[in-house]
Amino acid sequence: MENGFMGKLTEVLGNFATKVNSFRYIMVIKNAFASLIPVIITGAFGTLFSAMVFDNENGLARIKALSFLAELKPISSAVSYVTLSFLTIYAVFLIGIELARLNNVKGIFPGIVAVMSYLSVNPFVYEYVNADNITVIAENVLAKQYTDTKGLFLGMFVAIASIELYCWLGRQERLKLKMPDTVPTNVSESFSALFPTILTVAIIATAGFVIKAVTGMYAYDIIYNIVQRPLEGIVQGLPGILLLMFIAQVFWVIGIHGNQMVKPVREPLLLAAIAVNTEAFEAGKEIPNIITMPFWDMYMSMGGSGVTIGLLIAILLVSKREDMREITKLSLAPGIFNINEPVIFGMPIMLNPILAIPFIATPLITGTIGYVATSLGFAAKAVVMVPWPMPPIVNAYLATAGDIGAVVTQIICIIVSILIYLPFVKVSNKAAIKNA
């Protein structure tokens, strides 16, 4: 009966996962945001150097002999600015290239078409109130909210719509300019893209104009307030992030890469959240977001999905099964760097009812501990995007720009994970003896 139910569940979820992963826009978004991670990490390390090296109050520059370092702070500030403040532009560019590639249109030019289309729906006039309480109108400028993370969802929509339109127009023979064979191939291809480019940007710009004329709001305002902000609110709440983690863990248990399944939702929201925190930290403002991509890694994924660093330590402490101990020895080194496929598929945790329970439950509990500790101010909010293979303890220290409370909280989470896994490892011992 149990095998029948598990078999049926595996089949249903497996079919669902296959359909989701084969959906073209999901693939495009996942690939684009995977390419963006170095950009975010570069910006984050710019902020880290600003705070820990060039700052004359908290960094190395406060030491008299190293005070000259404060003069170098504009370098790290520039690195943060050109990465995090233009994240939407980079995302639109990459989505354009990825989607065009799926439509068998090669090269980087579709990325430029996507960026032009996105810029065409945003205003180039910015109103602000200056220090004298006078309203100033700045023309021919692009406000920061259209280029940083706040514009991500509109950027994704426009990039997808514009490139689908561009590729469709590119397939229309009547729109292709035929050049003589003597004309170089690259020049000929450029002229072939002329009419599709003009029409695509004109149509998207017209759509943006109509939206503003009909609603009185720019497309950015509509998408951000109706789609992006509510989603951010859900994920920034503890129930939302726990639900996302629960879904990922269930897919892992049936043998499907759980992180890949939740990536299209997780990446735009959590990467945007850490980018906002980084910018706020750089500007000396209050840090707004508790839940970010580093939060996921620091408190819900130590040693890899399921916080399996706790399982490995529990096995070394109490397991009497040689097979589990041997797999643990092989998995310990990669586990330190948060790579745990050897544990999931070798132990195995996949389709293993005994270990599946703590595997699903542990990150939900440790995530709750991390959230409560951060909410109470015991642990600092993450402000630096660190690479996910960064070992536990080190990643908490770097992600929070040197906060000891976050390190202590992570150590508590690891201890809790060991305590959760311990009884299930003991049950595995008894099961092995019974089956012997």
Side-chain angles (χ1 to χ4, degrees):
M1 183 70 178
E2 182 181 321
N3 289 336
F5 172 75
M6 285 298 294
K8 187 68 176 175
L9 179 65
T10 301
E11 183 182 354
V12 170
L13 291 178
N15 290 337
F16 174 74
T18 301
K19 288 181 181 178
V20 169
N21 276 322
S22 63
F23 190 49
R24 57 197 284 115
Y25 303 136
I26 296 293
M27 294 168 57
V28 163
I29 291 169
K30 284 199 301 186
N31 291 342
F33 275 90
S35 300
L36 273 178
I37 288 176
V39 176
I40 297 171
I41 292 175
T42 299
F45 272 94
T47 298
L48 190 66
F49 272 82
S50 276
M52 302 185 75
V53 178
F54 302 135
D55 191 85
N56 55 15
E57 292 183 7
N58 302 307
L60 291 177
R62 67 183 174 180
I63 301 171
K64 191 173 182 179
L66 300 175
S67 60
F68 69 93
L69 290 173
E71 301 296 326
L72 303 178
K73 193 169 185 177
I75 298 173
S76 58
S77 297
V79 171
S80 295
Y81 180 73
V82 300
T83 50
L84 303 177
S85 295
F86 294 90
L87 203 63
T88 290
I89 301 300
Y90 303 144
V92 169
F93 181 75
L94 291 169
I95 288 170
I97 293 173
E98 290 289 340
L99 184 54
R101 189 178 297 155
L102 284 185
N103 284 315
N104 297 315
V105 178
K106 297 179 181 179
I108 62 171
F109 185 69
I112 297 174
V113 173
V115 171
M116 288 192 295
S117 299
Y118 173 68
L119 294 176
S120 74
V121 302
N122 290 310
F124 293 94
V125 177
Y126 181 64
E127 292 186 13
Y128 67 97
V129 178
N130 65 16
D132 299 322
N133 205 29
I134 299 173
T135 300
V136 178
I137 298 176
E139 296 183 348
N140 298 318
V141 297
L142 191 63
K144 189 178 178 183
Q145 67 259 34
Y146 306 125
T147 62
D148 66 12
T149 57
K150 295 185 187 70
L152 270 176
F153 275 72
L154 175 63
M156 290 191 288
F157 289 142
V158 172
I160 288 169
S162 62
I163 296 307
E164 290 287 26
L165 176 60
Y166 172 78
C167 292
W168 181 80
L169 291 170
R171 291 192 291 270
Q172 309 307 307
E173 289 296 328
R174 290 172 295 176
L175 296 177
K176 292 181 179 179
L177 282 175
K178 302 293 184 182
M179 305 295 290
D181 294 338
T182 54
V183 175
T185 303
N186 60 333
V187 176
S188 179
E189 288 176 351
S190 295
F191 275 93
S192 295
L194 181 60
F195 284 130
T197 301
I198 293 172
L199 289 171
T200 297
V201 178
I203 290 170
I204 297 296
T206 302
F209 174 82
V210 171
I211 289 170
K212 178 66 167 65
V214 172
T215 66
M217 294 188 293
Y218 288 102
Y220 163 84
D221 300 312
I222 296 172
I223 296 298
Y224 182 70
N225 291 316
I226 294 177
V227 179
Q228 185 167 340
R229 183 179 283 176
L231 281 174
E232 287 175 345
I234 291 170
V235 174
Q236 278 304 311
L238 183 60
I241 196 67
L242 294 184
L243 176 61
L244 204 60
M245 176 58 79
F246 176 79
I247 292 169
Q249 296 306 95
V250 169
F251 276 107
W252 272 118
V253 165
I254 66 167
I256 297 169
H257 199 299
N259 287 344
Q260 292 297 325
M261 291 304 302
V262 300
K263 211 171 187 180
V265 175
R266 186 188 71 177
E267 305 291 85
L269 296 173
L270 297 193
L271 289 176
I274 186 60
V276 169
N277 280 10
T278 302
E279 285 189 295
F281 182 73
E282 176 74 21
K285 298 177 181 177
E286 184 181 351
I287 312 302
N289 300 313
I290 291 177
I291 297 173
T292 59
M293 199 64 241
F295 178 93
W296 180 288
D297 295 333
M298 284 160 47
Y299 300 126
M300 305 175 80
S301 195
M302 298 88 77
S305 296
V307 196
T308 49
I309 192 168
L311 172 60
L312 297 179
I313 296 171
I315 289 171
L316 292 176
L317 289 174
V318 301
S319 180
K320 297 176 182 177
R321 291 178 53 173
E322 280 303 316
D323 57 337
M324 291 178 72
R325 294 184 70 86
E326 285 301 315
I327 292 169
T328 297
K329 290 174 185 177
L330 294 172
S331 304
L332 207 53
I336 291 172
F337 297 95
N338 306 313
I339 300 168
N340 69 340
E341 279 80 357
V343 182
I344 293 173
F345 300 111
M347 195 67 65
I349 293 172
M350 180 186 69
L351 298 179
N352 182 334
I354 296 174
L355 293 179
I357 295 171
F359 181 79
I360 293 173
T362 302
L364 306 184
I365 295 169
T366 57
T368 302
I369 293 170
Y371 186 88
V372 171
T374 309
S375 298
L376 295 175
F378 178 75
K381 297 170 184 174
V383 294
V384 176
M385 177 67 194
V386 296
W388 64 265
M390 191 72 69
I393 311 303
V394 178
N395 68 355
Y397 184 79
L398 291 178
T400 55
D403 182 68
I404 299 302
V407 172
V408 172
T409 302
Q410 192 181 59
I411 292 171
I412 291 170
C413 288
I414 292 172
I415 292 170
V416 168
S417 72
I418 297 168
L419 295 175
I420 294 171
Y421 275 110
L422 274 173
F424 292 93
V425 172
K426 290 180 179 179
V427 170
S428 296
N429 290 341
K430 293 178 181 177
I433 293 171
K434 187 176 179 181
N435 294 330

